[in-house]
Amino acid sequence: MIAALVRIRLLETLAYRAEFLLWLVTLTMPLVMLVFWRSVAQDGAFHGYTPEDFNVYYLAVLVCTLLTNCNSVWEVNEDIRTGELSFWLMRPVHPFVNYMTITFAELGLGLLVALPVFFLALGMGGDGPPREWLRFALLPPALLGGLLINQAIHLLIGSLGFWIERSLVVHKLYATASAVLSGYMFPLAFLPDRAKDMADLLPFRFVIALPVELFTGKVSLDEAIGLMAWQALLVAVLFAAALLVWRRGVRRYSAFG
């Protein structure tokens, strides 16, 4: 059943190629930030980052953005608004499974773009990716953890649609905070100490900054293991919260449906 859903969703994603290409255009911000920070570091390293380091960093950000992307909040909002959710509530699988199959189907297309960029960053100059392969091997599970955190937050915010007409407003606040605290706009090392300590506990940095730091070698193996343990805990807590909000929302939805 789940495999069939993934296959269907992948075919749907392929059918809307123009929409997929438009989404790719929206991912140019890391390249814009790359040009900006390279100019800042033109006369010397900035907080330990040379222009070559910024090359690798923002290419890694682009890869992580592609591989942790999720759009479930729009799917959940639309299903609640149109009543399409009633159809999924009658199916033998939980609606969350349906939304996750959409995410993994889109991930397949994201890989087509991410892999060439990944190998480009891998072969670039400067310090480049870490040569400690044990730490480098943690990159795939870190990316999966980042995707699951993003997925859980999207489902959690989307479930607020049972009470709020359009919970996308909440998602915009999440996206704004994420741009600053995830390492998307700039390395978290640039934050003041107190802000960085706070960022180290919040889920944002585990979506992008953690896998980027693993790739660029800006985190030690011991630190990476500790951060990934916290990432796994965040995945469990966020999915539990999303399920709790969903169940209460479905009861309300059924009462009015």
Side-chain angles (χ1 to χ4, degrees):
M1 177 81 180
I2 295 176
L5 275 174
V6 172
R7 185 167 60 253
I8 292 169
R9 293 304 185 182
L10 180 58
L11 290 173
E12 288 178 349
T13 305
L14 288 170
Y16 294 97
R17 291 183 293 274
E19 182 180 323
F20 176 69
L21 291 174
L22 182 62
W23 167 66
L24 288 179
V25 171
T26 65
L27 296 175
T28 56
M29 182 54 72
L31 302 180
V32 174
M33 298 309 298
L34 168 59
V35 173
F36 172 77
W37 287 111
R38 274 185 60 90
S39 66
V40 171
Q42 200 64 45
D43 297 327
F46 182 80
H47 284 271
Y49 281 79
T50 65
E52 291 75 19
D53 291 332
F54 282 122
N55 288 341
V56 178
Y57 180 87
Y58 282 105
L59 287 176
V61 167
L62 181 55
V63 170
C64 293
T65 302
L66 285 163
L67 298 183
T68 61
N69 182 67
C70 178
N71 297 301
S72 293
V73 67
W74 287 276
E75 299 283 345
V76 176
N77 267 264
E78 190 66 10
D79 285 351
I80 294 173
R81 186 182 66 84
T82 62
E84 182 71 17
L85 179 61
S86 300
F87 170 80
W88 288 106
L89 290 174
M90 293 187 293
R91 308 306 293 176
V93 296
H94 195 283
F96 276 14
V97 175
N98 172 54
Y99 299 125
M100 291 182 71
T101 59
I102 297 173
T103 297
F104 281 101
E106 292 172 345
L107 175 62
L109 289 181
L111 277 168
L112 295 177
V113 181
L115 286 178
V117 178
F118 173 82
F119 286 112
L120 175 63
L122 196 63
M124 292 194 71
D127 291 336
R131 301 306 175 188
E132 298 84 350
W133 294 107
L134 181 58
R135 181 177 59 209
F136 199 57
L138 296 175
L139 184 56
L143 284 167
L144 177 60
L147 176 62
L148 292 176
I149 284 176
N150 213 10
Q151 177 76 68
I153 291 176
H154 271 243
L155 293 174
L156 176 59
I157 295 175
S159 298
L160 296 177
F162 290 115
W163 293 272
I164 305 172
E165 185 174 351
R166 291 186 67 83
S167 62
L168 294 178
V169 175
V170 180
H171 177 262
K172 287 181 180 179
L173 296 175
Y174 163 69
T176 301
S178 180
V180 176
L181 298 174
S182 70
Y184 181 75
M185 301 290 287
F186 51 80
L188 293 183
F190 295 178
L191 289 172
D193 290 340
R194 283 193 175 183
K196 186 178 183 303
D197 291 342
M198 179 182 69
D200 285 341
L201 298 175
L202 297 174
F204 309 106
R205 70 107 66 228
F206 297 93
V207 176
I208 292 179
L210 175 58
V212 168
E213 289 167 2
L214 284 167
F215 184 84
T216 58
K218 296 295 185 180
V219 62
S220 69
L221 180 60
D222 289 341
E223 289 174 324
I225 292 173
L227 288 169
M228 289 188 67
W230 184 252
Q231 183 190 50
L233 178 61
L234 285 172
V235 169
V237 169
L238 287 169
F239 266 106
L243 281 168
L244 177 63
V245 174
W246 175 269
R247 287 170 181 166
R248 292 187 176 181
V250 166
R251 286 200 293 267
R252 186 174 187 273
Y253 177 83
S254 299
F256 287 96

